[in-house]
Amino acid sequence: MAQKRLMQELSPLTKEKWLHIDPEEQNIFRWRVGLWVVNPESVFHGAYLRCEMRFPHDYPYQPPTFRFLTKGITHPNVYADGNLCISILHKPGDDEQSGEMANERWNVLHGAESVLRSVLLLMDDPEINSPANVDASVLYRDQRSTYDALARQIVKQSLESVPEGVKMPTESELAPAPQKVIEDDDDFWNPSEEEEDFGGSDSDMDDFDEEEEDEDDDK
């Protein structure tokens, strides 16, 4: 089941412009992923962040793991080894110790795409109350200019590892495809007198009654 689910998720993701996926050969349970930070308001805007996702064999009942391969990311929720602390990757159910509710954690309705989008959102809006990197959390809170400068360094360094043929998507490439507008047909709601007839017979019902009376008289 897990392998089938991953194949179903992988196919549409390979068409997305904001990421590049390279599944490991002969192992669908391990993905190498490159994430473009496309939010123009993000301090990491323009970065190509390499990461790795590993999926358990009981996926989607249990969450994947996520680790950044891009080195040196200074972020409140990224450990020194690149592992990410994010609620959506925590095991299902309430957790009294952390105070996380079940709806914040992993469930079978989530998937690889929801994880990757959540990662990008967290890069822009860190959770500093329970940081994985305390020093980065302090910088983000008290010395934002220093934090931003370190982020810009990561952006510059990350572009050195962009695979050949992979490029940052443009704004137009990220825009959703326009939907064809179907104009209302006023005549549809105003049928003509001929249409209201519904193909009924033009004969007079009185004639039908007279025929029945004649048949009764002959008996």
Side-chain angles (χ1 to χ4, degrees), residues 110-171:
H110 290 312
E113 181 175 358
S114 58
V115 170
L116 294 171
R117 291 187 181 276
S118 296
V119 169
L120 288 175
L121 288 173
L122 188 66
M123 294 302 292
D124 298 342
D125 187 18
E127 172 53 63
I128 62 174
N129 293 325
S130 54
N133 184 328
V134 176
D135 292 339
S137 179
V138 172
L139 285 177
Y140 181 84
R141 185 189 62 201
D142 300 333
Q143 302 178 46
R144 186 67 62 86
S145 60
T146 302
Y147 177 86
D148 290 352
L150 292 172
R152 286 191 291 270
Q153 288 182 17
I154 293 298
V155 174
K156 183 178 179 180
Q157 294 171 11
S158 71
L159 297 179
E160 297 175 0
S161 59
V162 178
E164 186 177 353
V166 177
K167 64 181 181 66
M168 174 83 170
T170 63
E171 185 176 343

Side-chain angles (χ1 to χ4, degrees), residues 46-109:
Y48 182 79
L49 302 177
R50 295 182 301 112
C51 48
E52 177 185 72
M53 293 184 74
R54 295 193 181 199
F55 299 87
H57 286 270
D58 55 354
Y59 180 82
Y61 299 105
Q62 294 298 325
T65 62
F66 182 98
R67 181 170 68 95
F68 281 111
L69 301 178
T70 298
K71 303 297 184 182
I73 296 178
T74 300
H75 187 281
N77 306 116
V78 180
Y79 291 100
D81 61 0
N83 283 305
L84 182 70
C85 181
I86 185 172
S87 298
I88 194 175
L89 293 180
H90 295 165
K91 292 184 177 182
D94 296 333
D95 184 70
E96 295 181 0
Q97 185 174 358
S98 67
E100 290 179 345
M101 304 297 290
N103 61 354
E104 300 175 288
R105 297 162 69 90
W106 179 262
N107 66 63
V108 295
L109 298 179

